[in-house]
Amino acid sequence: MSPASFPDEESLAESVRVLESWGLVVEVGAHALDRHGYMAGRDADRLADLDDAYRDPGVRALFATRGGAGAYRIAHDLDFDAVRADPKPLVGFSDITNLHLALWRHCRVAGVHGFLSGARSAASTRSLLMGTGPAVLHRDPAALTAAVRFGGAATGNVVGGHLGTLAWSVGTGVLDLDGSILFLEAPRAVGLGHVDRQLTQLIQSGSLHGLRGVALGRFPGFEDFADRDWTVLDVLRDRLETLGVPVLGGLDVGHGDHPLSLALGPMAELDADAGTLTVGPAVR
């Protein structure tokens, strides 16, 4: 289904092939290829596809065809009673962060920050959905954000996703980060000042009160970018240090080619000194 922007037919067909190779029966949302501006059809139709899937006992997981834009327009109108009656994970990232946040806030339903594009990403997503044990993500020393670390350990539910989406969600009633480990990632569609503003908005709004720790994924496009001698690493260190919680950077999750996937919602253990984030199963 396409709760945000629309995919092309080829990428949708490839996703179907991947899921069928896992032995799954795939049902494509009725409006998955609709177009309304940059979105996959009208709000009511995209919402109907989601609600129909949550109400259907034969559907055991939902896969967003892509992110883009538009999920924020329907996240508050989901049939949360149907979700609570038959919880099932949603897989998607970027603009789909809006749905992950709403589902967690209202239903405490776990999901997966990830997708099916590329063998590595597909295998990671499959492991999270079909595996029974915890997943361990390790700091990648070669990753840009691996240079950001504030020591210590923390335990909490993993919540988060795309940084800009989290910041834009302030005041919408979906942010519920108390007792959580906040996961952040973002591609460079904006400058350092925007990243600073987004983090500052989260901090000054009080949305991060009760936060246990922070895990940082990919920030692609910032590798060779500087603004008056500061890089994105300086912004992340400067803002996150004020939180007084452990921060683990260098997780290979987020935008870009062949990322790993991350379960959102389960209890996790973050060890910034050991460089690990251990996350419980996405499906129970």
Side-chain angles (χ1 to χ4, degrees):
M1 60 192 56
S2 303
S5 293
F6 52 85
D8 58 64
E9 293 187 27
E10 182 179 347
S11 64
L12 175 58
E14 176 58 25
S15 296
V16 170
R17 285 193 291 270
V18 169
L19 295 174
E20 288 178 340
S21 75
W22 299 357
L24 302 179
V25 176
V26 180
E27 297 182 19
V28 177
H31 302 283
L33 290 171
D34 286 4
R35 298 193 178 196
H36 178 63
Y38 38 76
M39 293 170 289
R42 305 247 174 210
D43 294 352
D45 291 332
R46 288 181 285 113
L47 180 63
D49 279 358
L50 283 169
D51 285 342
D52 287 347
Y54 280 113
R55 294 166 184 161
D56 186 345
V59 174
R60 303 319 311 149
L62 289 71
F63 294 82
T65 61
R66 59 162 297 173
Y72 47 83
R73 297 172 64 153
I74 61 176
H76 297 79
D77 297 320
L78 284 167
D79 185 346
F80 294 115
D81 288 336
V83 176
R84 285 187 286 264
D86 186 15
K88 56 196 79 172
L90 169 67
V91 179
F93 72 111
S94 196
D95 190 58
I96 306 304
T97 297
N98 291 282
L99 298 174
H100 286 307
L101 292 174
L103 290 166
W104 180 250
R105 168 67 178 82
H106 293 285
C107 307
R108 287 298 191 264
V109 172
V112 174
H113 180 289
F115 194 47
L116 305 173
S117 179
R120 183 173 186 251
S121 298
S124 179
T125 298
R126 180 180 184 180
S127 178
L128 293 179
L129 292 174
M130 298 183 172
T132 57
V136 182
L137 285 85
H138 297 268
R139 177 195 293 121
D140 179 356
L144 175 64
T145 61
V148 181
R149 181 179 69 85
F150 295 104
T155 301
N157 300 95
V158 180
V159 183
H162 180 249
L163 170 59
T165 297
L166 285 153
W168 302 327
S169 296
V170 169
T172 64
V174 298
L175 283 181
D176 187 1
L177 303 175
D178 188 18
S180 71
I181 292 172
L182 176 62
F183 169 69
L184 299 174
E185 59 88 13
R188 188 188 163 244
V190 295
L192 298 185
H194 288 81
V195 175
D196 192 343
R197 291 185 190 99
Q198 290 163 0
L199 290 169
T200 301
Q201 184 173 4
L202 288 170
I203 294 168
Q204 294 186 350
S205 68
S207 300
L208 304 187
H209 287 168
L211 198 68
R212 302 283 179 81
V214 177
L216 297 174
R218 292 180 172 184
F219 278 70
F222 285 101
E223 290 85 355
D224 299 313
F225 181 77
D227 186 350
R228 283 154 284 189
D229 297 326
W230 259 27
T231 71
V232 72
L233 300 179
D234 295 301
V235 175
L236 291 170
R237 292 191 191 103
D238 185 76
R239 294 284 68 201
L240 297 179
E241 183 179 20
T242 66
L243 301 177
V245 300
V247 176
L248 169 65
L251 301 184
D252 195 20
V253 181
H255 286 72
D257 294 333
H258 312 299
L260 297 174
S261 298
L262 172 69
L264 298 173
M267 286 294 293
E269 296 179 3
L270 181 150
D271 190 330
D273 299 311
T276 58
L277 179 67
T278 304
V279 188
V283 179
R284 294 186 178 275

